[in-house]
Amino acid sequence: MKSKGIKEILQSEPSLQPLKIAGWVRSFRSNRFIALNDGSTIKNLQCVVDFENFDENLIRKITVGAAIEVEGVLVESQGQGQTVEIQVEDITILGEADPEEVKFTILSPKRHTLEKLREQAHLRIRTNTFGAVMRLRSKLAFAVHEYFQKNGFYYMNTPIITGSDAEGAGEMFGVTTMDLKSIPLNEQGEIDYKKDFFEKESNLTVSGQLEAETYAMGLGKVYTFGPTFRAENSNTSRHLAEFWMIEPEVAFYDLSDNMDLAEDFIKYVVKYALDHCEDDLDFLENRLIQEEKTKPLAERSDMSLKDKLRFVVDNNFKRVSYTEAIDILKNSKPNKKKKFKYVIEEWGADLQSEHERFLVEKHFKCPVILFDYPANIKAFYMRLNEDGKTVRAMDVLFPGIGEIVGGSQREERYEVLKEKMTAMDIPEEELYWYLDLRKFGTCVHSGFGLGFERLVQFVTGMGNIRDVIPYPRTPGNAEF
Ligand code: 4AD
Ligand code: MG
């Protein structure tokens, strides 16, 4: 085993026992103070060098970005900002970093914009901001599994390559091994998928829901946590072409149970971050305060990052039907003054993110769960209500984020589902297996999808979704 990481060392008592620790140089002041970081924590370990006792050539190689190994003893710190530091006895340069080249990278010690960091996404993990965000991302992923495992759910993996369109929205990336320069055609002049690898048209999944439903019908409570893909051309701060989705699916749950589950789950993972990621959250909270200072007063938030997280954990989400929401929006100031880009004229309108954010940020001032949407603006699989025009859908809306969860009670009645599929042009041959579930022991069941990156955005306070996933995939960008 290698020696302890910096996180552990910083929590240790001074000791004469020699230590060995490797990391990257964050700064080197006065030829004496090395700030060393190994990624285990946002905090650096101060390593104090008596440069008089070291070879000048070696000292010259201790530069920002270099990988080094330090040997020494842990002593009480003389300076401010840390309680312990390493009195260095030996240094090995593991990997140099030429300052002449470093100065053209984001490793150089000055402020870089998030856009600049994105261009050098392979190096940005060495910055404080990305270290904090990605440690939180990892902890949140663990909390997701912990929540479901503690509550009797089984983790299942749904296929990434599939023959069906789970959302029926046609926003899919095709998967093929055909030669795009000479695509085989059939007698009707259409693409002959029989000649393709899977002998049928296939694509990257947009959601694992339909397959998760099949497993909920045997295991009872399941969840997925995997990558999903959407070929939607939305260049916003909340959309990715490749994102990770968490999808629980539960037999015998109705919409109300589903809302309870979503609320309880989100509160658990947010609380987990508060309880386990204090240093990183403190850093991100300060970062946000600095960022806010550049904004006009009216746009600044009156809550700090951790206050916002605590607010979510401590308060009930407001549950509001689509119909009530439309009334609120119709009578709202921005609607009457035509300040919305899409003015709400009547029941049935699809809600845009400006409307969702108005409800959450201005009207209710707390997370909101909207339910019972009009059938024709939602997917084919949602359960039709007795009124014949709304479905048992729910969206969880969050401040600053908008929609963080989308889910529903599923249509469990064979005939109703079949009719709906015909009406919405969903081919029965493709989803015969999904219909089968309604023939063999069908039951009320529900589930939802939570976009993991939107959750990470909320918890870290990062404004752009491209900054909460290591290598974002967006229209026009698949670098790295
Ligand atoms: O609302 P959506 O499209 O719902 C589904 O896919 C359902 N099949 C889920 C289910 O019931 N099992 O997507 C669910 C969530 C959204 O609320 C949002 O958080 C996230 O996935 N999401 C995206 N995140 C990042 N980039 C995108 N392009 C996203 N599209 C959806
Ligand atoms: Mg949705």
Side-chain angles (χ1 to χ4, degrees):
M1 272 291 266
K2 279 270 179 198
S3 71
K4 304 182 212 174
I6 288 176
K7 186 176 179 191
E8 233 189 299
I9 291 177
L10 289 175
Q11 289 160 357
S12 313
E13 295 295 324
S15 150
L16 291 175
Q17 189 73 28
L19 275 176
K20 238 190 206 177
I21 178 75
W24 294 274
V25 176
R26 282 291 176 85
S27 67
F28 187 30
R29 275 188 302 124
S30 321
N31 267 357
R32 190 177 292 280
F33 304 105
I34 305 171
L36 196 68
N37 191 283
D38 68 351
S40 60
T41 161
I42 191 142
K43 293 183 175 154
N44 298 326
L45 177 64
Q46 172 149 290
C47 307
V48 185
V49 189
D50 281 328
F51 59 88
E52 299 88 349
N53 302 333
F54 283 87
D55 177 34
E56 220 175 279
N57 272 326
L58 181 111
I59 294 285
R60 224 176 291 136
K61 289 178 183 165
I62 305 172
T63 57
V64 171
I68 65 172
E69 186 173 65
V70 162
E71 255 187 276
V73 289
L74 194 65
V75 298
E76 208 170 297
S77 178
Q78 308 297 307
Q80 280 184 343
Q82 63 275 320
T83 51
V84 288
E85 63 191 22
I86 298 270
Q87 195 62 55
V88 177
E89 285 161 4
D90 198 10
I91 297 175
T92 314
I93 307 290
L94 303 174
E96 295 177 32
D98 181 354
E100 282 307 306
E101 291 194 52
V102 164
K103 74 180 178 201
F104 297 111
T105 73
I106 56 157
L107 297 176
S108 60
K110 58 171 192 183
R111 279 214 166 271
H112 302 282
T113 63
L114 290 170
E115 287 76 16
K116 189 92 200 156
L117 297 188
R118 248 170 257 151
E119 286 166 16
Q120 296 178 32
H122 60 306
L123 299 177
R124 65 179 178 171
I125 193 58
R126 296 245 210 124
T127 64
N128 280 331
T129 301
F130 281 85
V133 169
M134 294 307 161
R135 274 187 296 271
L136 266 155
R137 185 181 164 110
S138 169
K139 291 284 183 199
L140 285 167
F142 180 78
V144 166
H145 284 292
E146 189 175 80
Y147 176 83
F148 287 119
Q149 296 290 334
K150 273 186 177 170
N151 287 287
F153 285 71
Y154 292 102
Y155 178 44
M156 73 168 293
N157 304 110
T158 49
I160 288 171
I161 300 173
T162 140
S164 45
D165 178 0
E167 289 301 295
E171 291 169 330
M172 296 174 301
F173 291 101
V175 173
T176 181
T177 53
M178 287 190 294
D179 178 0
L180 296 184
K181 288 190 212 92
S182 76
I183 296 172
L185 300 178
N186 63 19
E187 279 161 15
Q188 288 80 46
E190 296 155 344
I191 297 174
D192 188 359
Y193 286 105
K194 280 260 169 293
K195 302 224 166 71
D196 203 354
F197 189 93
F198 296 111
E199 298 179 14
K200 69 178 291 200
E201 193 174 354
S202 50
N203 47 269
L204 295 179
T205 186
V206 294
S207 156
Q209 178 197 319
L210 306 191
E211 291 89 352
E213 281 186 56
T214 67
Y215 265 49
M217 292 299 119
L219 292 178
K221 292 163 122 182
V222 298
Y223 71 104
T224 72
F225 187 175
T228 46
F229 308 85
R230 304 250 169 127
E232 50 188 336
N233 201 1
S234 347
N235 249 310
T236 79
S237 58
R238 287 184 300 279
H239 287 88
L240 290 166
E242 176 180 297
F243 64 98
W244 286 66
M245 184 147 61
I246 296 138
E247 296 184 275
E249 191 68 37
V250 195
F252 314 115
Y253 265 33
D254 64 15
L255 189 70
S256 160
D257 302 320
N258 204 27
M259 291 196 258
D260 292 344
L261 176 66
E263 183 167 344
D264 193 51
F265 164 59
I266 294 175
K267 286 178 168 167
Y268 182 89
V269 293
V270 172
K271 182 162 189 316
Y272 187 93
L274 279 166
D275 290 347
H276 294 85
C277 309
E278 202 183 355
D279 293 344
D280 288 323
L281 283 176
D282 284 342
F283 173 83
L284 290 165
E285 176 163 284
N286 274 320
R287 186 193 156 273
L288 219 55
I289 291 168
Q290 299 308 322
E291 194 182 84
E292 293 243 306
K293 281 186 187 159
T294 64
K295 290 186 186 166
L297 268 180
E299 283 172 34
R300 293 186 202 170
S301 161
D302 41 7
M303 267 197 247
S304 74
L305 179 62
K306 283 194 292 179
D307 284 345
K308 279 185 212 165
L309 303 185
R310 277 189 284 261
F311 185 85
V312 163
V313 173
D314 294 339
N315 288 282
N316 290 336
F317 296 5
K318 180 88 188 159
R319 299 181 188 191
V320 187
S321 75
Y322 167 90
T323 303
E324 287 171 76
I326 284 290
D327 280 341
I328 294 167
L329 287 167
K330 262 207 302 210
N331 295 314
S332 70
K333 247 196 210 161
N335 205 62
K336 286 183 172 159
K337 292 191 169 167
K338 302 214 173 357
K339 285 270 158 58
F340 283 140
K341 191 167 162 218
Y342 298 90
V343 174
I344 300 282
E345 308 276 9
E346 58 192 22
W347 193 94
D350 202 356
L351 299 184
Q352 306 296 323
S353 81
E354 57 180 346
H355 308 127
E356 298 176 341
R357 293 185 65 170
F358 174 83
L359 290 171
V360 173
E361 290 160 27
K362 298 279 180 326
H363 190 82
F364 291 110
K365 297 188 167 55
C366 71
V368 171
I369 311 184
L370 285 190
F371 61 92
D372 284 354
Y373 281 75
N376 57 3
I377 59 169
K378 287 290 182 187
F380 70 95
Y381 50 70
M382 299 189 180
R383 193 184 194 285
L384 194 62
N385 276 316
E386 306 318 318
D387 62 13
K389 58 177 196 171
T390 59
V391 285
R392 306 241 79 192
M394 64 166 209
D395 276 3
V396 181
L397 312 179
F398 256 47
I401 305 287
E403 179 191 333
I404 193 163
V405 161
S408 66
Q409 184 176 320
R410 319 306 188 186
E411 184 54 76
E412 84 284 12
R413 298 163 297 182
Y414 182 85
E415 289 303 333
V416 182
L417 181 61
K418 206 171 137 175
E419 248 173 63
K420 194 83 169 287
M421 283 170 58
T422 311
M424 289 187 159
D425 268 338
I426 313 275
E428 204 183 311
E429 334 61 274
E430 216 178 75
L431 289 183
Y432 68 90
W433 52 274
Y434 188 68
L435 277 162
D436 261 3
L437 298 179
R438 279 73 184 165
K439 284 204 285 195
F440 307 115
T442 192
C443 66
V444 165
H445 64 288
S446 301
F448 63 81
L450 174 132
F452 186 51
E453 285 73 20
R454 292 196 187 170
L455 173 73
V456 182
Q457 254 192 298
F458 178 72
V459 173
T460 59
M462 297 301 284
N464 195 316
I465 200 164
R466 293 166 176 83
D467 299 327
V468 298
I469 186 165
Y471 296 102
R473 300 292 174 243
T474 50
N477 179 34
E479 188 71 18
F480 306 103

